[in-house]
Amino acid sequence: MTIHLSILIFWPLLLALLAGLSPRGIAPVIALLGSLVPLGYAVLLLIDFDPSARGLQYVTDDKWIPDLGIRYSLGVDGLNLWLVGLTALLFAASALWIALRPPERAKLFAVHFGIAETAVLGAFLAQDLALFVLFFDLMLVPFYFLLGQWGGPERVQAAVKMVIYTLVGSLLMLAGAVALAVLASPGATPDFSLAFLRENLLGDNTQKLLFVAFSLAFLIKMPAFPFHGWMPDAYRNMPLPVLAVFSGVVSKVAAYGFLRIVLPLFPAAVDDWQLIMLILAICSILYGSIQAFTQTNLRLILGFSSVAQLGFIVLGIFALDAGARGAQGALLQAVNHGLVVAPLFLIIVLLAARSGGSEDIRDMGGIAFRAPVLAALFLIVTLATLAMPGSANFVGEFLILLGVFDSKLAIALIASTGVILASVYALRMYIRSMHNRQGPAVTSFEMSVRDALVIVPLVLAIIAFALFPQRAIDAGEPAVQGASQAVTGSAR
Amino acid sequence: MTPKAPVIDWEALSPIVALAGGACIVLLVGLLRSRFVRAQVTPFLALVTLGTTAGLVIWQWGANTEIVERALAIDDLTLALTMIFVAAGIGTVLLSWRSSAVVEAGEGEYYALLLSSILGMVVLVAAQNLVAVFLGFELLSIPLYVLCATHMRREHSLESGLKYLIIGSVGSATLLYGLAFVYGATGSTDYAAIARAAGDLSNDVLLLTGIALVVAGLAFKASVAPFHQWTPDVYEGAPTAVTAFMAVATKAAAFGVLLRLFDVALIDLAETWGPALATLATITIVVGNVGAIGQSSIKRMLAYSSVAQAGYMLAGVVVSTQLGVRATVFYLAVYALMNLAAFAVILARERETGLGDHITALYGLGTERPLLAWPMTIAMLALAGIPATAGFFGKVYLIQAAVNNDYGWLGVVIVVGSAISLAYYLRVIAAVWMRSAADAPARPPLPTGARPAIAGGSAEATEAAARPRGVVQVEIVVVAVVCAVATIVFGIYPDPLLDVARDAGAALSGLV
C-alpha cells in the first residue's frame, strides 16, 4: 500500500485548481509544475520498476464506495508502466509549450489541462473497472472545454460532435461495466475489481454482448474505421498543443483498454470476434493510409495516419498468436506512436508560422532551405513515423506483423501493404512541406530556442527509445502474455 | 365508563405539526402592515419552520412508527424524502426572497402556500392508506396551482397556473377514480390489507383498471410521458423559484408515493405492472430527451429534461427491489441538488440581463460571472451523468438496480437516453463558456402575436417583469454554489447519501 500513485494522479489536478486561483501571469507556470512532478515520478517508476516480478506493483487498494462495490484501487505493471511514462512526458512537453506561449484566459486553460492529465493517468492506473470507467469518461470533459473554447473557427460544433460520438460508446461501456459486475457476483454486492472479475468470468453469450459494448467505446475513442466520424472536425479545430497530448495519449487509453479489460475479461468473446476485429483493423490501416496521402491539411494527414497506426495496434492486440508477440508489438507501438505524433503536431505550429498561417501543405514547400535544424528534427520524427528500420516503430510493427503472420496469414499479407503506404504519406508530408518549390507566402526561418526547448527533448526521447526498445518489451512481457494468453489459453 | 382518548404519537407527528404550524404563523405574520416584517420576517419564519422540520426529521430518524391508525408511516423513507422537500423548500424561499412574484401575491400567502404544499408532500409520501394518499395529493397540488400564477400581472404566469389547475384536476380525478376501483376490488383502503387481498386478484379487471388509473393520475404529477404535456408550458410560465420547487419537490413526492404504493400495496402484482411501467419509463426517457433538443428557453429545456429524468427514476420503481428503492431515493436527492443549482443560475440571469430564461441570457457567463458559470456547468454535467459528479453514481446505482432484477435492457435505455441528453446539456455549457455576451441580441425575444387575453394579464406587465434589475443577489449565488459543491462532493464521496438511501430502502421491509 503506497500513496505514490495517488500523488502521481492527483498532483496535476491539485495544481490546476491552484492555477485557477492564482494571478493570470503565473498560471501557466503552475500548470507546468503540475506536469513536471508526475514526469519525475514516472521516471522514478521506470527506474524502480522490477521487470521480473509478476503482478501489480505499488498497489493502492482501499475501499471507496462499499455500497456500490467500487474500490479505489491502483497499480502498475508492464501494461501501463510505459504508457504512464508517455503520458507524463507528453503532458510535460505540452505544458512547457503552453508556458512559453500562454494562451488567452490562461487560468482556465491551466485548470482544464490539469484535469485532463489527472483523468488520463487515472484511467491508465485504475485497477477497478468502475474507477477506470469513471476516469475514462472524465477524460472527455476537459478536452471538450479545451477544444470548445480555444479551438479553431468551428470549435463548438466540433466539440459537441466529439463528445456525443465518444460518450455514446463510453456510456454503453458504463452500462456494460455495471452489468458485468452485477452478473459476476450474483446475490451479493457487486464487485468491480479487475482481479475479481478475471476470476469470475461470465457465460459466453453475455461475454459477447459486453464485448460489443466495451469494444465500441474503445474503437470510437481511438478512433478506428468506421467510427472516426468525429475525428476530422475535432483535429481541425483543436489547439495544437492540446491535440499533441490528445492524439498522443487519449487514443492509447483505448488501446490499453483492450489489453487491460477486454482480453482478460471476455476471452471467449475475443476468440469469436477476432476475425471481425482484425478486418476492422485492416480497414483502418488501408482507409487511414489512403486518406492520409490524399489530404492536404497537415492536421488531417496526421489524424488519418493515426487511424492507420491505431489499426496496426488493434491488429497486434487481436493477433492472439501463441507467443503474444502481436500484443507486445501493439503495446510498444502505442508508446511509439504517442512519441512521434506529439512532436509532429507541435511542428505544425512552426510550419504554419512560416507559411503565412496556413496548415495546408499546398501553401508550404521549401521551408527546409533556411531552417536546417527544424528540417533535421522533422526528418527524424518523420522517419520514425514511417517505421524506418532502426526506429522503435520498426520493432513495433515488425512484432505486430510477426504475430499476425503466426495466426492469420492472409490478414498479415494485406496489413503489410500498410507499412508501404505509411512511407508514402509520411514522405509526401515531409517533402511537400520542407522541400519542393518555395510556396508563395512562405518565409522560412530557423526555429527559436523556445521551440527547441520542447521539441528537442521529445526527439531525443524518440532516439533513446529507438536505441533501447528492449527495455520496454521486457517490462511488458509478462503482463502482455498474461493478457493475451487469457484468451489463447482458455479458448483453445 | 369514560371514553378513552385516542393515543397520539406526538413525536412521530412532530414534523407534520411543525410544517402546519409554521404555515399558519407565516400566514398571520404576513397580515401585519409593516413593510419590513412582510418582506424580511416572513421568509425568515418560513426558513425557521423548514429548519425546525429538518431538525425533527433528524431526531425521528430510525424510529419507524406508524401513526393515525396506520394511515401514515413515519419511517426512514418518509423522512429521507422530507429532507429533500425541506432542502427544496429552503432553496425556494431563498430564491423567492426578493422576487416580484412574492410582492404581487402577498408575502404571507406565498410562503404559507409553499409550506402547506410541503406539508402535503410529507403526508403523501407517508401515506399507506388510499384516503391519506388523496388527501396528501390535493394538499400538495392546490397550493401549487396558486403559486404558479403568483406573477399575477404576467400573462404567462396566469396561463401557467390555469393550465396546471385544469390538467392537475384531471390528474386528481383520474387518481381518485383509480383509488375507488382499487378499494372496490380489494375491499380496503389500507395498504397492508390491499397487499393481502391483491395476491389472489392478479387477473381481476377491476383492480387492474384501478391500478392503470392510479398510474395515470400519479404520472401526471411526476410528468411521466405520455402525461407530461403540461410540464414545459407550466415550467416556463411559472415564476422561476416556483418552477425550481415543482421540478425538485413535486417529483420527489410523486416518486415517494409510487414507491410505497407499488412496492408495498401492490408488490404481489409486480409481474403485471412491472413491464407496463418499464414501457412507460422507456417512452418517458425517449420523449423527454428528444423534446429537450432544440428548446431555446432553458426552463422549457429543463422541463423536458425533468421528464427524461423521471423516466430514469421510474426504472428504480419498476425493479421493485430494495436496491431499486435505494437507487431512486439517491437519485432524487442528487436530482434535487443539480436542478436547484441550475434554476438558481437561471433566476440570477433573469434578474440581471432581462433576456428572461432564453439561452442567450447565458452568453458570456463564463468570463463575466464564474460563480454562476461553474454551478451551471456542474449542474448540466451532473444531469448528463458525467463522472466526478453525483449524477454519475446516481446513474450507476439505477443501472445496477435494473440489471440486478433482469431489467438489463432498461439500463441500456437509460444510457442511450443519457447520450441523447448530451446534445442539449452541452448546448447550455457551450452558451456559458463558448459564446460571448456580444453574441446575444440586444433586446429579449419577447413573446408576441395574438395570444388569448387572460384576465388580469397585460403586455406591459410582461415587459416589466422582463426588465433587468441590476446586480445578482447574493442569496441566489449561495444557493447555486452550495448545490454545485454538494453535487461534486457527493460525486467523489457519496457514502453519506448512500447510507440515507439504504435506511430509506430498509423501511420497505417487504422487499428483497
Side-chain angles (χ1 to χ4, degrees):
Chain A
M1 190 74 120
T2 64
I3 197 175
H4 296 300
L5 293 183
S6 306
I7 298 176
L8 173 62
I9 292 179
F10 291 107
W11 178 266
L13 176 67
L14 196 71
L15 282 238
L17 298 180
L18 205 63
L21 299 172
S22 66
R24 192 180 307 270
I26 62 168
V29 181
I30 297 183
L32 176 61
L33 207 62
S35 58
L36 282 180
V37 170
L39 179 61
Y41 248 116
V43 171
L44 286 179
L45 267 184
L46 288 175
I47 296 168
D48 189 50
F49 185 81
D50 177 7
S52 58
R54 290 194 81 87
L56 295 166
Q57 301 181 31
Y58 317 103
V59 175
T60 303
D61 188 21
D62 211 337
K63 69 171 194 294
W64 180 25
I65 309 173
D67 275 11
L68 297 177
I70 301 175
R71 295 184 70 80
Y72 177 71
S73 151
L74 311 168
V76 176
D77 62 6
L79 279 185
N80 53 12
L81 174 70
W82 285 87
L83 289 167
V84 168
L86 173 76
T87 308
L89 176 68
L90 295 193
F91 269 94
S94 191
L96 181 60
W97 185 271
I98 291 159
L100 296 173
R101 301 159 178 254
E104 279 178 59
R105 284 177 287 166
K107 275 162 44 170
L108 265 179
F109 195 100
V111 171
H112 292 306
F113 194 79
I115 297 175
E117 181 166 7
T118 291
V120 175
L121 285 173
F124 277 130
L125 290 170
Q127 299 298 335
D128 180 290
L129 188 58
L131 196 62
F132 173 82
V133 173
L134 188 148
F135 280 121
F136 189 84
D137 289 357
L138 183 63
M139 222 157 52
L140 199 57
V141 178
F143 284 107
Y144 165 74
F145 282 106
L146 289 167
L147 168 57
Q149 286 186 79
W150 288 272
E154 291 156 21
R155 55 185 192 276
V156 179
Q157 293 91 316
V160 170
K161 198 167 172 184
M162 176 181 85
V163 171
I164 292 181
Y165 245 97
T166 49
L167 259 192
V168 168
S170 304
L171 287 168
L172 277 179
M173 178 171 77
L174 169 66
V178 174
L180 174 60
V182 171
L183 297 177
S185 39
T189 313
D191 189 339
F192 283 91
S193 82
L194 289 176
F196 170 82
L197 295 174
R198 272 197 295 270
E199 300 296 312
N200 297 274
L201 297 176
L202 300 177
D204 285 6
N205 286 328
T206 329
Q207 274 193 28
K208 275 182 210 168
L209 276 176
L210 295 177
F211 175 89
V212 173
F214 278 81
S215 302
L216 207 58
F218 295 145
L219 290 175
I220 294 175
K221 196 77 163 192
M222 277 183 158
F225 180 84
F227 308 108
H228 62 282
W230 58 272
M231 188 276 285
D233 281 349
Y235 273 48
R236 254 202 304 265
N237 289 292
M238 202 180 273
L240 283 162
V242 177
L243 190 52
V245 287
F246 185 78
S247 180
V249 174
V250 173
S251 55
K252 307 306 170 299
V253 181
Y256 165 77
F258 275 116
L259 285 171
R260 171 69 75 195
I261 291 166
V262 172
L263 294 193
L265 299 190
F266 313 118
V270 170
D271 200 50
D272 285 340
W273 287 87
Q274 183 195 8
L275 194 61
I276 292 175
M277 296 303 287
L278 288 178
I279 290 171
L280 278 182
I282 292 277
C283 292
S284 295
I285 294 173
L286 296 181
Y287 174 83
S289 304
I290 290 169
Q291 283 284 345
F293 67 69
T294 49
Q295 295 293 334
T296 56
N297 185 319
L298 274 175
R299 290 165 178 252
L300 290 186
I301 295 177
L302 289 180
F304 282 109
S305 86
S306 296
V307 172
Q309 296 284 330
L310 284 157
F312 266 109
I313 294 175
V314 175
L315 197 69
I317 293 170
F318 284 89
L320 303 177
D321 55 312
R325 274 170 305 195
Q328 279 174 35
L331 187 59
L332 182 62
Q333 192 61 6
V335 180
N336 286 333
H337 177 249
L339 275 180
V340 297
V341 87
L344 283 176
F345 277 118
L346 296 177
I347 286 173
I348 294 181
V349 181
L350 304 181
L351 295 182
R354 284 154 183 74
S355 67
S358 168
E359 287 163 357
D360 196 304
I361 51 172
R362 287 171 303 187
D363 300 332
M364 297 181 180
I367 294 181
F369 189 52
R370 287 185 193 281
V373 178
L374 174 62
L377 293 174
F378 191 11
L379 185 64
I380 295 173
V381 184
T382 309
L383 291 181
T385 308
L386 62 81
M388 195 73 172
S391 67
N393 300 54
F394 175 74
V395 182
E397 287 193 1
F398 185 76
L399 281 171
I400 291 172
L401 289 175
L402 206 61
V404 187
F405 267 113
D406 240 19
S407 59
K408 303 268 182 220
L409 186 63
I411 299 234
L413 288 175
I414 306 172
S416 8
T417 59
V419 181
I420 304 161
L421 293 174
S423 43
V424 177
Y425 63 70
L427 289 176
R428 169 175 172 268
M429 171 180 77
Y430 184 77
I431 294 168
R432 291 286 295 265
S433 56
M434 301 306 282
H435 296 162
N436 276 7
R437 190 172 297 128
Q438 188 160 344
V442 170
T443 43
S444 179
F445 52 92
E446 188 50 275
M447 68 197 293
S448 64
V449 177
R450 184 176 67 158
D451 310 328
L453 223 51
V454 182
I455 292 176
V456 169
L458 286 175
V459 173
L460 286 179
I462 295 174
I463 294 171
F465 210 56
L467 295 176
F468 306 105
Q470 197 58 38
R471 224 186 126 72
I473 299 175
D474 286 347
E477 196 166 353
V480 174
Q481 280 181 349
S484 185
Q485 277 160 3
V487 181
T488 42
S490 80
R492 285 176 191 168
Chain B
M1 199 175 80
T2 48
K4 218 167 78 182
V7 184
I8 298 176
D9 185 349
W10 290 105
E11 291 181 4
L13 207 55
S14 58
I16 293 176
V17 173
L19 280 170
C24 296
I25 294 170
V26 167
L27 185 62
L28 291 176
V29 171
L31 294 175
L32 295 177
R33 290 180 64 95
S34 158
R35 178 100 194 86
F36 171 78
V37 169
R38 279 187 289 138
Q40 314 294 341
V41 176
T42 45
F44 178 71
L45 284 176
L47 285 180
V48 169
T49 308
L50 290 168
T52 314
T53 313
L56 293 170
V57 164
I58 294 167
W59 174 48
Q60 280 299 306
W61 193 263
N64 290 328
T65 43
E66 291 173 322
I67 53 172
V68 199
E69 290 293 313
R70 309 188 51 239
L72 298 180
I74 306 296
D75 53 16
D76 287 351
L77 177 62
T78 306
L79 296 178
L81 292 171
T82 306
M83 281 309 266
I84 297 177
F85 306 147
V86 167
I90 291 175
T92 311
V93 171
L94 288 176
L95 294 186
S96 317
W97 184 17
R98 295 187 247 193
S99 146
S100 61
V102 181
V103 182
E104 283 174 32
E107 288 86 351
E109 288 87 334
Y110 183 95
Y111 293 115
L113 284 170
L114 187 68
L115 290 176
S116 44
S117 183
I118 294 176
L119 175 62
M121 291 171 183
V122 177
V123 172
L124 183 61
V125 297
Q128 38 183 7
N129 183 308
L130 299 182
V131 179
V133 167
F134 192 69
L135 199 69
F137 196 79
E138 288 300 286
L139 190 53
L140 142 71
S141 307
I142 293 171
L144 274 181
Y145 301 148
V146 185
L147 282 173
C148 282
T150 42
H151 257 160
M152 285 211 272
R153 309 266 310 146
R154 230 179 89 231
E155 283 179 6
H156 263 74
S157 178
L158 294 173
E159 182 191 333
S160 151
L162 190 61
K163 206 167 217 164
Y164 196 29
L165 171 64
I166 293 170
I167 295 187
S169 309
V170 173
S172 298
T174 318
L175 174 70
L176 190 57
Y177 204 38
L179 294 179
F181 274 41
V182 172
Y183 171 65
T186 59
S188 174
T189 59
D190 185 64
Y191 276 14
I194 293 174
R196 278 195 297 277
D200 311 325
L201 293 171
S202 55
N203 289 319
D204 187 76
V205 179
L206 195 59
L207 181 60
L208 294 183
T209 316
I211 294 174
L213 289 170
V214 170
V215 169
L218 293 174
F220 271 114
K221 203 87 308 175
S223 40
V224 167
F227 308 102
H228 69 286
Q229 270 98 348
W230 59 274
T231 318
D233 290 346
V234 173
Y235 276 29
E236 189 192 11
T240 306
V242 177
T243 311
F245 182 69
M246 282 202 294
V248 171
T250 313
K251 186 85 67 187
F255 274 95
V257 66
L258 277 172
L259 281 176
R260 208 182 281 280
L261 183 61
F262 283 95
D263 289 350
V264 175
L266 303 172
I267 186 66
D268 287 341
L269 301 180
E271 282 172 18
T272 315
W273 53 258
L277 280 193
T279 316
L280 270 189
T282 310
I283 296 173
T284 308
I285 291 171
V286 172
V287 167
N289 280 319
V290 173
I293 298 173
Q295 298 291 342
S296 54
S297 150
I298 310 174
K299 273 156 85 178
R300 278 188 90 83
M301 188 213 89
L302 282 177
Y304 277 109
S305 125
S306 89
V307 173
Q309 307 272 344
Y312 304 148
M313 287 185 268
L314 203 52
V317 181
V318 167
V319 296
S320 59
T321 54
Q322 285 277 336
L323 206 54
V325 179
R326 286 186 219 164
T328 312
V329 172
F330 182 81
Y331 204 92
L332 279 170
V334 172
Y335 171 81
L337 293 173
M338 323 189 261
N339 265 301
L340 277 179
F343 278 109
V345 177
I346 296 173
L347 186 64
R349 289 307 272 184
E350 268 182 1
R351 293 190 190 173
E352 196 180 35
T353 62
L355 294 171
D357 64 331
H358 198 264
I359 193 157
T360 50
L362 295 178
Y363 281 13
L365 196 62
T367 44
E368 282 173 31
R369 297 206 174 277
L371 274 184
L372 291 177
W374 280 106
M376 193 67 175
T377 311
I378 292 168
M380 291 297 128
L381 291 177
L383 283 167
I386 298 287
T389 64
F392 176 75
F393 289 120
K395 292 239 167 81
V396 169
Y397 216 173
L398 281 174
I399 296 171
Q400 222 176 65
V403 176
N404 202 29
N405 205 18
D406 291 339
Y407 277 102
W409 62 270
L410 210 48
V412 175
V413 173
I414 292 177
V415 295
V416 171
S418 310
I420 303 173
S421 74
L422 280 165
Y424 53 90
Y425 292 133
L426 287 184
R427 203 164 148 239
V428 174
I429 297 178
V432 170
W433 294 103
M434 298 165 199
R435 313 254 183 218
S436 71
D439 299 343
R443 278 299 294 158
L446 280 178
T448 49
R451 302 179 56 82
I454 294 174
S458 73
E460 298 85 63
T462 307
E463 197 154 336
R467 200 165 298 141
R469 294 196 287 135
V471 290
V472 173
Q473 284 129 357
V474 64
E475 72 273 9
I476 299 178
V477 178
V478 168
V479 171
V481 170
V482 166
C483 289
V485 168
T487 308
I488 293 286
V489 168
F490 287 132
I492 294 166
Y493 188 67
D495 259 13
L497 217 49
L498 287 168
D499 286 344
V500 170
R502 193 175 47 231
D503 286 355
L508 302 187
S509 51
L511 297 177
V512 272

